[in-house]
Amino acid sequence: MSLRITVIGTGYLGATHAAAMAELGFEVLGLDVVKEKVELLSAGRVPMYEPGLEELLRTHVAGVEGATGRLRFTTDWDEVAAFGDVHFVCVNTPQKHGEYGCDMSYNAGVDAAIDTLAPRLDRPCLVVGKSTVPVGSAARLARRLAELAPAGEEAELAWNPEFLREGFAVEDTLRPDRIVVGVASERAEELLREVYAGPVGDGTPFVVADYPTAELVKTAANSFLATKISFINAMAEICEAAGGDVVKLAEAIGYDDRIGKKFLRAGIGFGGGCLPKDIRAFMARAGELGVDQALTFLREVDSINMRRRAHMVELAREACGGTFLGRRIAVLGAAFKPDSDDVRDSPALNVAGQIHLQGGQVTVYDPKGMDNARREFPTLRYADSAEDAAGSADVVLHLTEWSEFRNLDPRRLARAVATAHLIDGRNTLDPAPWRAAGWTFRAIGRPAL
Ligand code: UDX
């Protein structure tokens, strides 16, 4: 009989993983502690914007017309324990308030999930952690599971980090570039090979490791990506001082395939629910392990990144003639990246908020992130389109690189603004048509003219 899968926690990671497991042919039961979320998902609706996810969900959710019915959601832990052969733990692991470390005791966090699930596990099963956790957590949670589960050794733990990107969550989950599992037994490895037989059969590498290595793969990968972005942003600082062009520089070094072109886009830096918190939690954990020196460079990566936001504010102030007082600033973009409505630690909103606090009249437009932005920064103004946001603006800031903004007509927008001054904080707009339409065009790390 085919394995029965449960997914605990239905955020970006969990909702996508649950739908993907149903797509791979398994019977899936998703659990969330938030009743409203379970109701929404059960009706085939996704509480966030993620391309393709709602469609995938609706293909499988029981009760939706024409669906396979392989996917259901519940708030009931007993049902989950009785149902699953493999339980994926996908709850989030936020940063501790006011500290760098990761808060594992968060009410719906990994520890709480294991403590609630384990006492109900009375038959053989595998509990698989997918959340990003400090190294050492899996070993500790495995001991906890052994202590609490009536099934004893028959209820085992594995770690299987997730590398999905928001905006590509479905694609990354169905066709990952690698699957990494941290296991303590052959049985656990075999079960996970069975779960992932589809993608592995299609050629996805399957990397088997011990717990700490599997946990570290995730934080190491995110640290590397963050370092790459801060590296190019450091080059942008140098380019600005020396009159160079960081976009050209990135292109030229990117032809070396040891370096590669990806993640070398200079701008206002990285944000979101993962990279900033993960590098901080990683530093905190290295400190606990007595090897903080190994990661002091991540402090620099973090401060280069945060400096980008401040730099953007300064460029905007300069464009406004040295003060924000009485000036209108149009902000294009609120999400931390395009194709997402996620505004967690969004560089765009951070810049918008700083300018607002310094007296500027900021109007924000984002294709998908407006509701979340309004909730986070209710005091900013919001417009229904890029053109509305730009109305009578003294400067327009391009802060999230939605394709919609690349398709703007510079001539048309020039008629809406008070002063045709644009600053590209993401280096994805082509300066030529903007300048041809009479705009003063500036971009981070590129020559002013
Ligand atoms: C990241 C990792 O990519 C993913 O593998 C992991 O599972 C979760 O964290 P995500 O948070 O979705 O994914 O965003 P990502 O695409 O990595 O972008 C992060 C931030 O970096 C965004 O704010 C983006 O705008 C910025 N970025 C990215 C740059 O500033 N320059 C670049 O060249 C690339």
Side-chain angles (χ1 to χ4, degrees), residues 162-167 172 178 218 222 225 229 232-233 262-275 278 336-338 347 401 426:
E162 179 57 56
F163 307 102
L164 68 81
R165 297 161 297 169
E166 290 181 21
D172 286 351
R178 79 288 209 190
K218 170 71 189 206
N222 275 357
L225 294 172
I229 299 170
I232 203 64
N233 280 330
K262 292 179 182 166
F263 267 66
L264 282 184
R265 200 169 17 75
I268 55 169
F270 57 83
C274 293
L275 297 193
D278 287 355
F336 85 101
K337 66 188 261 188
E401 64 279 27
R426 289 300 186 178

Side-chain angles (χ1 to χ4, degrees), residues 322-335:
T323 176
F324 289 124
L325 295 176
R327 301 290 194 276
R328 287 173 189 270
I329 296 92
V331 167
L332 304 184

Side-chain angles (χ1 to χ4, degrees), residues 14-159:
T16 314
H17 190 66
M21 287 291 121
E23 176 73 6
L24 291 180
F26 299 105
E27 295 287 325
V28 183
L29 182 60
L31 174 136
D32 207 288
V33 291
V34 182
K35 192 166 139 263
E36 293 72 26
K37 235 178 177 178
V38 166
E39 284 166 1
L40 206 67
L41 290 162
S42 301
R45 292 177 41 215
V46 179
M48 61 265 182
Y49 175 74
E50 182 61 45
L53 181 54
E54 194 151 291
E55 289 81 344
L56 190 65
L57 194 77
R58 297 183 70 82
T59 310
H60 298 294
V61 168
V64 169
E65 210 187 307
T68 63
R70 289 201 288 265
L71 177 56
R72 290 183 301 115
F73 293 93
T74 183
T75 53
D76 184 346
W77 288 90
D78 289 330
E79 195 186 348
V80 162
F83 180 88
D85 302 305
V86 181
H87 302 281
F88 283 100
V89 179
C90 297
V91 298
N92 64 350
T93 46
Q95 192 176 326
K96 272 185 199 162
H97 193 68
E99 285 179 47
Y100 270 11
C102 166
D103 190 352
M104 298 284 288
S105 63
Y106 187 61
N107 55 9
V110 183
D111 277 27
I114 299 287
D115 279 5
T116 316
L117 180 67
R120 296 174 161 84
L121 298 175
D122 53 11
R123 65 182 181 87
C125 62
L126 186 66
V127 178
V128 187
K130 275 189 108 42
S131 310
T132 302
V133 291
V135 60
S137 304
R140 182 173 54 77
L141 293 165
R143 287 193 296 273
R144 188 86 186 135
L145 185 64
E147 244 170 68
L148 296 176
E153 285 180 0
E154 300 277 85
E156 234 196 285
L157 189 88
W159 214 260

